């Protein structure tokens, strides 16, 4: 079967490991992530995660068979710097993705030291809490060119027929200076545009997404677009597929509109 692709709004920091403290804030996101195995109906052979928290001069791929952890956050309780998401890596999948990207004219580099960042392990823990599905991370590339990231998504499309679930982990609104009621208006304006764009016919949808900076409140929603770019990749990998919105809320963190999208 052909697996769908997902763009996930992954929340803040190590939230799945703090549910006693923040569970009321993350109940909807947690439920949406836990529902993904039901939505796809099979256990993937592997996960390819395009993470907003990794950028390189080239596209980088985590290739360790046992990736370590990266605690790329600050100010959280001590136990969150000891959590483990012990999913295996897949050097074979990393090498295959490298070949696909290079065949399409993009430079890709294997990194056997790279660990799981919180954009990966916080998103994946609710989906596969047993950490029993192999995971490879794919970076963004410096410059954050939306067209380039859409193009690499197209190159990754064959993986969907091989049991690989492609996930883009970012956030539909990512302005940390307004990650509260101050960002409410901008987040709602941008999220409404994003939903309208996702409902367009495929060619028009991709073209409009390439012009995302012209969207209402675009730079207020994304002062820097690294948390939006994973969407370009997963859309490219399922470019002709209809979009669905498996997660949305209008009052996240004091009034923010945030969404996740599934293609296929």
């Amino acid at each position: 079967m052909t697996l769908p692709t997902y763009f996930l709004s992954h929340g803040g920091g190590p939230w799945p490991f703090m549910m006693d403290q923040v569970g009321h804030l993350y109940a909807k996101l947690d439920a949406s992530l836990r529902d993904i195995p039901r939505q796809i109906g099979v256990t993937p052979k592997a996960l390819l995660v395009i993470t907003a928290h990794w950028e390189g001069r080239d596209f980088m791929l985590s290739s360790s068979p046992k990736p370590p952890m990266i605690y790329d956050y600050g100010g959280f309780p001590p136990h969150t710097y000891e959590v483990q998401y012990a999913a295996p890596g897949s050097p074979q999948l990393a090498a295959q993705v490298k070949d696909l990207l290079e065949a399409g004219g993009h430079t890709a580099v294997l990194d056997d030291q790279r660990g799981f960042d919180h954009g990966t392990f916080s998103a994946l823990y609710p989906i596969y809490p047993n950490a029993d599905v192999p995971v490879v991370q794919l970076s963004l590339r410096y410059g954050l060119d939306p067209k380039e990231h859409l193009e690499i998504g197209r190159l990754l499309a064959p993986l969907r027929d091989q049991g690989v679930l492609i996930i883009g982990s970012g956030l539909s609104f990512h302005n940390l200076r307004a990650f509260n009621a101050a960002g409410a208006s901008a987040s709602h304006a941008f999220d409404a545009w994003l939903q309208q764009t996702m409902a367009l016919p495929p060619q028009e949808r991709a073209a409009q997404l390439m012009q995302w900076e012209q969207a209402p409140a675009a730079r207020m929603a994304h002062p820097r677009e690294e948390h939006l770019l994973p969407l370009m990749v997963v859309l490219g990998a399922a470019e002709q597929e209809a979009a669905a919105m498996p997660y949305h809320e209008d009052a996240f963190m004091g009034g923010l509109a945030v969404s996740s999208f599934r293609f296929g």
Side-chain angles (χ1 to χ4, degrees):
M1 65 178 292
T2 302
L3 294 180
T5 69
Y6 284 85
F7 171 72
L8 302 179
S9 287
H10 64 224
W15 67 266
F17 305 93
M18 301 171 55
M19 291 299 279
D20 288 347
Q21 299 102 307
V22 302
H24 63 293
L25 297 173
Y26 284 97
K28 289 184 179 180
L29 177 58
D30 184 56
S32 74
L33 295 174
R34 291 181 184 277
D35 192 51
I36 287 175
R38 182 198 63 80
Q39 294 173 27
I40 64 177
V42 298
T43 300
K45 293 180 181 177
L47 310 173
L48 177 64
V49 180
I50 300 92
T51 171
H53 291 273
W54 191 15
E55 299 173 37
R57 288 178 295 179
D58 304 303
F59 288 104
M60 308 291 294
L61 288 147
S62 63
S63 60
S64 170
K66 294 183 178 180
M69 300 287 286
I70 299 176
Y71 304 112
D72 53 339
Y73 40 74
F76 288 91
H79 78 272
T80 64
Y81 299 89
E82 299 176 1
V83 299
Q84 294 292 315
Y85 189 74
S90 176
Q92 181 180 4
L93 175 59
Q96 182 183 4
V97 173
K98 180 178 186 291
D99 289 345
L100 287 171
L101 297 186
E102 291 184 339
H106 300 271
T107 304
V109 177
L110 301 179
D111 184 339
D112 63 3
Q113 302 299 309
R114 179 73 184 188
F116 296 143
D117 61 58
H118 83 267
T120 296
F121 67 77
S122 289
L124 295 187
Y125 179 73
I127 307 173
Y128 298 111
N130 294 329
D132 51 1
V133 181
V135 179
V136 170
Q137 292 179 134
L138 171 61
S139 77
L140 305 174
R141 200 177 83 81
Y142 290 154
L144 302 178
D145 179 358
K147 185 173 182 288
E148 182 177 38
H149 288 79
L150 180 74
E151 288 173 354
I152 70 156
R154 291 169 177 155
L155 298 171
L156 299 174
L159 298 173
R160 298 175 57 210
D161 294 321
Q162 300 170 23
V164 178
L165 182 64
I166 302 174
I167 293 173
S169 180
L171 270 171
S172 61
F173 176 86
H174 194 255
N175 183 338
L176 296 182
R177 294 186 176 182
F179 211 70
N180 48 40
S185 178
S187 75
H188 281 258
F190 186 76
D191 201 84
W193 174 85
L194 205 53
Q195 290 185 47
Q196 292 165 6
T197 298
M198 293 302 102
L200 293 171
Q203 187 172 355
E204 189 177 350
R205 177 177 64 185
Q208 185 149 315
L209 197 58
M210 294 302 95
Q211 304 298 320
W212 74 271
E213 287 181 273
Q214 299 177 18
R219 280 298 178 188
M220 181 64 180
H222 291 280
R224 191 172 184 275
E225 58 266 41
E226 82 285 347
H227 274 68
L228 184 65
L229 265 289
L231 173 61
M232 314 301 179
V233 182
V234 300
L235 174 66
E239 195 167 7
Q240 301 305 313
E241 309 276 354
M245 189 170 60
Y247 164 69
H248 173 78
E249 50 187 308
D250 286 319
F252 184 64
M253 293 293 179
L256 302 177
V258 288
S259 299
S260 296
F261 296 97
R262 181 183 70 243
F263 302 94

